[in-house]
Amino acid sequence: MFPFSSHQRSQTNCWRRHVALVGATMLSMTSTTFASSPAVAGTKRLTIDTISDKIKNMEYAVRGKIAIEADRIKQELAKGGNNADDFDFDHIVFTNIGNPHAVAQKALTWPRQVMSLLQLPDAIGIDHPMVSQMFPEDAIQRAREMKASLGGSGIGAYTHSKGVRAFREDVAKFIEERDGAAPGSVDTENIFLTSGASEAIGMLMSAMIKDDSCGIMIPIPQYPLYSASLGLLGGHQVGYFLDENS
């Protein structure tokens, strides 16, 4: 165990008392709520009848019936035996999601090299005397820049809710160069970094769908995330077909 100072022990004990008080309060509130409820003791509170209707009506084809059946068949093939003999194939290639590594596509080397250096302690990473023999110079330089931008906190710490400012500045500069815009014309404060497109789409739709009178136009065919999110949020899908001639 790590040694604690008297001040740290005092803070820890204070924190424990606070947690205990909160826990007791929540238990008291829960007991009161349950006591006043006419529900029969021992019955489940969360059932298919009590969950949100929006959850029940939402459809997400990426993880829908076909994917579920494919997963079942995969398990049958893995077991072998008579059940596996019922199929004219010996494996399944899942293409329901964009998952290139699952179909044997090799990973891009450079981003993984940079990530490795970001995760390693400096002494065995960017500052190791033989680092240039293990990693290319551009990966080392990029890792140094990113570590400096993180302010020494590393990649495991929380950042600004919009993302690390230096990274957002890089994105703003990229947009300016790509679109031929004047330097400094893209406001860094309007750049939000998310952990993938799905999170960004969900955030935007949550802000746009005020009530069930709202709809969003989406192309047909569409990525199931759009229709699933609309169903969850109570909005309407307004589909339109893509016509290359117009």
Side-chain angles (χ1 to χ4, degrees):
M1 296 181 64
F2 294 101
F4 289 96
S5 66
S6 58
H7 175 66
Q8 288 173 320
R9 285 195 295 270
S10 175
Q11 285 185 317
T12 302
N13 291 333
C14 181
W15 176 80
R16 286 174 176 169
R17 287 194 296 272
H18 174 71
V19 171
L21 177 61
V22 172
T25 302
M26 292 180 65
L27 179 60
S28 175
M29 293 172 62
T30 304
S31 300
T32 302
T33 302
F34 281 3
S36 61
S37 173
V40 179
T43 59
K44 292 183 178 180
R45 295 290 173 154
L46 188 63
T47 68
I48 192 65
D49 296 320
T50 59
I51 65 173
S52 168
D53 288 335
K54 294 176 181 177
I55 290 287
K56 290 185 285 187
N57 295 329
M58 182 183 73
E59 295 184 1
Y60 190 50
V62 171
R63 303 292 185 183
K65 294 181 179 180
I66 295 177
I68 293 173
E69 179 64 10
D71 191 61
R72 184 192 68 79
I73 295 174
K74 179 183 177 182
Q75 298 302 318
E76 295 289 347
L77 292 171
K79 292 177 183 177
N82 295 332
N83 291 337
D85 295 336
D86 294 338
F87 305 105
D88 297 326
F89 46 87
D90 58 8
H91 70 284
I92 292 179
V93 177
F94 287 84
T95 58
N96 56 312
I97 56 175
N99 192 12
H101 292 173
V103 290
Q105 177 174 315
K106 293 184 178 180
L108 296 175
T109 303
W110 192 79
R112 291 201 168 194
Q113 291 171 332
V114 174
M115 284 299 299
S116 297
L117 289 166
L118 288 174
Q119 295 182 66
L120 287 170
D122 291 355
I124 58 174
I126 58 175
D127 291 338
H128 191 279
M130 299 179 64
V131 65
S132 296
Q133 299 179 32
M134 297 182 287
F135 295 90
E137 194 58 41
D138 56 347
I140 299 171
Q141 180 59 31
R142 184 55 175 161
R144 289 187 184 278
E145 294 172 355
M146 295 180 73
K147 281 205 168 190
S149 299
L150 292 168
S153 58
I155 59 174
Y158 286 120
T159 67
H160 191 285
S161 58
K162 296 180 182 180
V164 178
R165 182 173 182 84
F167 300 168
R168 289 186 284 128
E169 290 174 347
D170 286 344
V171 174
K173 183 179 179 182
F174 166 80
I175 294 173
E176 292 168 355
E177 294 177 351
R178 181 196 64 185
D179 298 345
S185 60
V186 176
D187 189 353
T188 304
E189 293 305 313
N190 291 333
I191 303 294
F192 290 75
L193 304 182
T194 61
S195 56
S198 296
E199 182 183 8
I201 292 169
M203 291 171 62
L204 287 172
M205 284 192 170
S206 296
M208 296 168 67
I209 301 297
K210 179 181 179 182
D211 50 42
D212 59 8
S213 67
C214 298
I216 293 181
M217 294 184 67
I218 57 177
I220 303 296
Q222 54 98 19
Y223 183 52
L225 172 67
Y226 299 130
S227 55
S229 298
L230 283 169
L232 181 62
L233 296 169
H236 295 279
Q237 174 182 328
V238 183
Y240 64 92
F241 291 94
L242 301 178
D243 185 355
E244 294 181 0
N245 296 324
S246 61

